[in-house]
Structure formats: C-alpha cells, structure tokens
Amino acid sequence: MTIESSGDAPLRTVGKAELFLGFLKIGLLGFGGIAPWARHVIVEERRWLSEKEFASVLGVGQILPGPNTMNAAVLIGDRFQGVIGVLLCLVGQMALPLVIVTTLGIAYERFASVPEVQAGLVGAAAGAAGLVLGTAIKMVRRLKPTPPALAISLLAFAAVGIMQWPLPLVVVVLVPLAVAAAAMEGRA
Amino acid sequence: MLGLLLQIARVFALLSLVSIGGANAVLPEIRRQVVVVQGWMSDPAFANVFAISHAAPGPNIIMVSLIGWQLAGLAGLLVATLAIMIPSCTLAFVAGRAIAHWSERRWTKLLREGLVPLALGLILASGLSMMQVADHDAVTVAISLATAAFVILSRRNPLWAIVTGAAINIATLQFT
C-alpha cells in the first residue's frame, strides 16, 4: 500500500438533504469545470470521501462516457442514498447552473461589448484554469503516488495535455497499463 | 415543433453515449452536428454559446442545454438536457453498481487503484488546456499561476482567488 490518503478517511453516512445541498453548492460554485469544486466541497469541506476515494470515483467517472463529474455525482449519490441519492445529486448539480446559463444567454446580447465585462470574464477564466492546475498538484502531493503510478499520471498528462491525442484512445491504452502497474506493485 | 424536439433528443442522446471526457472532448462533434449536419446555428452563434456556457458555473455540458434553449425555448432546454444526461448517467449507474457488487474481487480493486493516477494526470492536462485557451498575456498567466498557488497552499474557498483574478484583470484595463 503505497498510495495513501492523509489519514482522513471516514466512511460515514451522508443524508439526503446533505447530499442535495452539497451538490447544489458544487453546481453553483463550479466555475470553469466542476471537478476542483467537487473536490473542495466533498473532500476538504464536508469530508464525505477521502482524497483517494474521491480520485478513484473521479477516475471511474472519467473512463465512462459523459462528464466525469456528472458520473461521479451518480456514483456518490448511489453510494450514500441509492437511486434517490443519484437524482438528488444530479438535480442539485444542474439546477442553479441551468438558471444561470439561460440568464447569461439573455444578458449576453446587451453586455458583451462592455470592456469591463470582457476583462472580468477573461480574468476569471484564467483563475479557473489555475484552479484546475492547482487542484491536480495538490492531489498529487496528498496522495504521494509511487514512481510507476506517477509515470502513469505523467503519461496521461503528456498524451492529452501536450500531444492532444483523443481521450478514448488514451484511455484504451493507459487503463490496462495503469492496472498492470497497480498489480505489479501489489497495490491491491 | 415536436419534430424539432425529437431531433434534439436524438442528436444529444447519441452524443451522450460517445462523450468520453465530457463536453470539452466532444466539442468538435457537437459543433459538427449543430452547425454542419443539422444547420441549427451559424458558427458565430455557436461560438457565443460556447463563451456563455463557460462563463456560467456547472458542468460544461450545459452548453447543450443552452443550445436547446435557443432552438426551442424551455421545452428545448429540458429535452436537450435530459437527452445528454440520461444515457451516460444510466451507464454510470449500472457500472457503479457492478463495481460495488464485485468490490472485493481483485480486478475491481486493481481497476480502482489504477484509475487514481490516471485521474490525476487527466486533471493536470485539463488545467493546461484551459490555460492555453484562457491565458493570452503575462497578466492572465500570472493570475492562473497565483490561483494555482492559492489552491495548493490554502484550504480556503477558491472563489476568493477567482474573484480577485477577475478584479485584477479589470484593473489592468486602466493601463492599456
């Protein structure tokens, strides 16, 4: 066992209202992509899952079709409250963003040409990019992957981030490699 | 109207099943369907939808909801959203149950262990590609790096860093 969480791995129950409100918050905060915000709320703020459990759920969400965080919401909802939990997580995650995006769509025509609006959006987008980058680095520091596991991370990063190869291809090649690496090291 | 709604449902339900990697990964295919195959929107209108949906919180897939809204109002929004969600979410549900059912088997444990480093690498990659889209001068690069440092060093809500980044970039308008 060489990948380890930082000791905070409470296997606790999470109630229906708590699930819904948690995902409502994730949806509302989820600027620039949901994963870092989901991690902030689920791991850091409410401690529903340990760092490693969260990464594992997100990894499963990633290899399935659909947004990784939406799949993660399905898995987390089912884990704590079954089918009802799934629906609560999905509705919670989507409700506010849907209202906001249609409002923005209506407002956009009027305010798109205001320089301050454009500059603010660009600044926020740059911040959101940094948020994703920082979240990945923070997770690596917490999980302390072994050298072979870190090699898998770097291969995935290089293939998708630098070479910009199609994700399905990368997944098909790297999942067997990642599982083989875990098996050879006896990580499970 | 009903014909249009059915067409929206069909196009996005199919996209849902192939969208490994979420909205950003299938963006070229969404554009091809919406602009080229169906002729629902012009390219500039599609670019606007992309910009607006990235300025809103939530999964980037809400871009599809906004397309539905612009094509057929509230009914279009609901049909597009459900069509993009139901197939992939059902699959995730079934896969999740299977993994939970066989959670004590060695291959499921290995799969879950193996996917951890893969997820880390892919988040890192999406951070880089977001920076490539968002950062086009020294100020925005600095905002991205400072936000990353804030997230690494602090447990506080990252919204503080994002709002600060937006404010700094608005302030730089004074000097250009």
Side-chain angles (χ1 to χ4, degrees):
Chain A
M1 193 64 190
T2 28
I3 292 190
E4 57 182 26
S5 61
S6 47
D8 47 2
L11 224 158
R12 47 171 291 207
T13 55
V14 179
K16 293 189 178 73
E18 212 182 343
L19 268 184
F20 179 74
L21 291 175
F23 273 91
L24 203 65
K25 179 168 185 182
I26 291 168
L28 180 63
L29 288 174
F31 183 87
I34 283 225
W37 304 96
R39 185 195 156 277
H40 179 76
V41 171
I42 291 171
V43 178
E44 209 126 3
E45 191 181 279
R46 315 207 166 180
R47 309 201 164 204
W48 293 348
L49 299 175
S50 71
E51 189 83 47
K52 188 174 157 192
E53 286 171 313
F54 179 76
S56 173
V57 164
L58 203 61
V60 174
Q62 185 78 58
I63 61 166
L64 294 166
N68 56 357
T69 48
M70 195 178 279
N71 292 334
V74 170
L75 299 175
I76 292 169
D78 190 34
R79 169 171 176 166
F80 289 120
Q81 293 291 339
V83 178
I84 302 290
V86 173
L87 296 176
L88 287 172
C89 289
L90 289 176
V91 172
Q93 192 182 60
M94 294 297 287
L96 296 173
L98 282 176
V99 172
I100 293 169
V101 83
T102 41
T103 311
L104 280 179
I106 294 163
Y108 186 79
E109 307 296 326
R110 265 184 77 186
F111 298 110
S113 55
V114 179
E116 280 79 9
V117 171
Q118 285 291 351
L121 283 180
V122 168
L131 165 62
V132 175
L133 190 71
T135 298
I137 294 170
K138 189 174 200 171
M139 289 176 81
V140 169
R141 280 171 43 138
R142 291 259 184 93
L143 292 170
K144 302 184 184 67
T146 58
L150 193 61
I152 298 286
S153 298
L154 291 177
L155 274 177
F157 168 70
V160 175
I162 297 172
M163 303 309 294
Q164 309 201 338
W165 288 336
L167 187 65
L169 176 74
V170 174
V171 163
V172 165
V173 174
L174 279 188
V175 168
L177 259 181
V179 170
M184 274 164 45
E185 285 189 284
R187 268 189 269 141
Chain B
M1 181 69 176
L2 189 63
L4 177 62
L5 290 177
L6 282 173
Q7 194 69 354
I8 292 173
R10 195 183 63 82
V11 167
F12 290 134
L14 276 176
L15 272 169
S16 175
L17 281 180
V18 296
S19 60
I20 293 178
N24 288 337
V26 285
L27 186 67
E29 181 60 17
I30 296 179
R31 189 200 145 269
R32 199 180 71 85
Q33 282 291 341
V34 170
V35 177
V36 182
V37 180
Q38 306 292 334
W40 283 333
M41 279 181 179
S42 65
D43 253 327
F46 184 79
N48 273 348
V49 165
F50 178 78
I52 297 164
S53 56
H54 278 68
N60 293 332
I61 209 82
I62 53 169
M63 169 180 199
V64 164
S65 313
L66 189 58
I67 293 171
W69 165 265
Q70 298 208 335
L71 289 177
L74 188 60
L77 174 104
L78 291 175
V79 168
T81 306
L82 291 176
I84 200 78
M85 285 177 73
I86 290 173
S88 65
C89 286
T90 307
L91 195 66
F93 181 77
V94 173
R97 283 274 163 114
I99 289 174
H101 184 76
W102 287 299
S103 63
E104 293 311 307
R105 299 286 172 87
R106 184 153 184 267
W107 66 265
T108 358
K109 288 184 179 169
L110 283 176
L111 183 64
R112 288 186 6 201
E113 281 289 334
L115 289 177
V116 169
L118 194 61
L120 296 181
L122 291 176
I123 297 178
L124 205 57
S126 87
L128 181 71
S129 51
M130 284 175 73
M131 281 180 71
Q132 284 165 346
V133 174
D135 298 355
H136 32 63
D137 54 22
V139 176
T140 41
V141 171
I143 290 172
S144 290
L145 295 179
T147 308
F150 178 88
V151 174
I152 294 166
L153 299 174
S154 156
R155 276 183 170 244
R156 302 190 64 144
N157 192 322
L159 199 58
W160 294 112
I162 306 257
V163 171
T164 308
I168 288 172
N169 208 45
I170 292 171
T172 56
L173 283 179
Q174 309 298 321
F175 306 104
T176 48

